[in-house]
């Protein structure tokens, strides 16, 4: 049963520190998404990549957030410097683009981030 | 961009009764509408989806209907069971045939009363 994996699962840090979250998409999936979930805003799309190239990062605060895909099996989301308002659950999801309709996205377990 | 409104925010029904959750979307170009179920502390999981060329889709006790003219879609759960208790999210996106960034509704907390 292929699944998206994320590390760390929980992270507590102090304001101003750098935070790096990692995601391993399902093998063969060529599209990777980063979503953020908070009580107030719900689930929001931050950025996504297709074939490792960024397609849309309009939902991401550019001054402190950055997302990359160093290779097809690893996506990273970095916050530097972190702020208390960044506290949220960050989900990675992966999906495919192919010759048939394949819109389904599969979510990872999330990284629960608390910035003090 | 797309905007998705979801109602109600909380829904409490008796076990065995039906539950209906409604969503509206703003972008007439959107053509893919998934529904996700999220249990406390867990990841969102796809339970059913519908494309714009279909008006209704059913999978056992779960069904989704889509009205493109009115730009709204609904989730119907029949014969509700305790394990249906969770938060349900609708979403919408224009998809060219593959996975694209979803715009989610704010979620509905479904409570099944024994």
């Amino acid at each position: 049963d292929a699944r998206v994996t994320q590390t760390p699962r929980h992270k507590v840090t102090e304001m101003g520190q750098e935070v790096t979250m990692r995601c391993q998409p399902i093998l063969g999936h060529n599209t990777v998404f980063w979503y953020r979930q908070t009580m107030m805003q719900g689930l929001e799309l931050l950025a996504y990549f297709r074939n490792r190239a960024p397609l849309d990062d309009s939902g991401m605060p550019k001054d402190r957030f950055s997302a990359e895909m160093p290779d097809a099996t690893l996506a990273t989301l970095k916050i530097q410097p972190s702020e208390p308002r960044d506290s949220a659950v960050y989900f990675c999801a992966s999906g495919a683009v192919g010759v048939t309709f394949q819109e389904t996205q599969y979510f990872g377990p999330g990284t629960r981030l608390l910035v003090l | 961009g797309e905007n998705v409104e979801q109602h109600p925010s909380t829904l409490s029904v008796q076990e065995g009764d039906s539950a209906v959750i409604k969503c509206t979307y703003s972008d007439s170009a959107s053509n893919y509408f998934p529904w996700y179920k999220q249990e406390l502390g867990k990841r969102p999981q796809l339970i059913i989806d519908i494309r714009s060329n279909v008006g209704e889709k059913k999978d056992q006790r779960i069904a989704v209907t889509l009205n493109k003219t009115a730009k709204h879609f609904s989730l119907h759960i029949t014969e509700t069971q305790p394990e249906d208790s969770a938060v349900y999210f609708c979403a919408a996106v224009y998809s060219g045939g593959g996975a694209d960034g979803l715009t989610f509704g704010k979620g509905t907390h479904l409570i099944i009363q024994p």
Side-chain angles (χ1 to χ4, degrees):
Chain A
D1 182 24
R3 288 201 163 194
V4 177
T5 58
Q6 289 184 246
T7 57
R9 295 290 308 276
H10 299 89
K11 176 73 176 178
V12 180
T13 191
E14 293 187 346
M15 183 173 64
Q17 296 298 305
E18 178 178 299
V19 175
T20 299
M21 292 169 270
R22 295 177 176 79
C23 167
Q24 183 170 13
I26 292 173
L27 190 64
H29 281 187
N30 61 355
T31 308
V32 176
F33 305 84
W34 285 104
Y35 292 93
R36 176 170 63 184
Q37 186 174 35
T38 61
M39 288 295 293
M40 293 300 295
Q41 299 299 325
L43 273 161
E44 303 174 285
L45 176 69
L46 295 177
Y48 72 106
F49 293 76
R50 180 157 294 146
N51 297 322
R52 296 177 56 201
L55 270 195
D56 184 359
D57 62 0
S58 58
M60 203 166 67
K62 303 290 192 305
D63 55 340
R64 299 181 299 107
F65 285 60
S66 61
E68 294 179 343
M69 279 203 75
D71 62 59
T73 64
L74 176 65
T76 62
L77 180 66
K78 191 174 295 186
I79 309 174
Q80 169 62 19
S82 58
E83 298 182 0
R85 59 181 167 150
D86 301 329
S87 298
V89 181
Y90 291 81
F91 286 103
C92 173
S94 74
V97 173
V99 296
T100 59
F101 287 107
Q102 297 176 335
E103 297 96 337
T104 304
Q105 294 182 31
Y106 299 87
F107 280 72
T111 293
R112 192 172 297 272
L113 174 65
L114 177 61
V115 183
L116 302 174
Chain B
E2 177 63 276
N3 182 52
V4 177
E5 300 283 340
Q6 183 172 347
H7 299 281
S9 56
T10 304
L11 178 60
S12 180
V13 302
Q14 290 293 124
E15 183 179 347
D17 288 350
S18 295
V20 180
I21 302 170
K22 300 182 179 182
C23 290
T24 60
Y25 61 100
S26 62
D27 188 349
S28 56
S30 288
N31 62 355
Y32 175 65
F33 308 91
W35 286 87
Y36 283 82
K37 175 183 180 182
Q38 187 179 28
E39 296 175 350
L40 189 63
K42 301 287 183 66
R43 71 187 80 195
Q45 292 197 297
L46 180 74
I47 55 171
I48 196 167
D49 56 12
I50 192 167
R51 298 185 184 93
S52 58
N53 60 344
V54 175
E56 183 173 357
K57 184 177 177 181
K58 191 172 182 180
D59 182 3
Q60 299 182 16
R61 297 186 296 108
I62 294 173
V64 58
T65 58
L66 171 66
N67 183 327
K68 284 190 297 182
T69 303
K71 290 190 283 187
H72 66 70
F73 56 114
S74 301
L75 178 71
H76 305 252
I77 306 174
T78 59
E79 301 171 17
T80 53
Q81 300 170 3
E83 54 264 37
D84 295 329
S85 293
V87 179
Y88 292 80
F89 293 93
C90 62
V93 67
Y94 169 74
S95 168
D100 279 286
L102 297 169
T103 300
F104 284 90
K106 287 287 196 282
T108 296
H109 186 191
L110 177 62
I111 301 165
I112 308 301
Q113 304 277 8

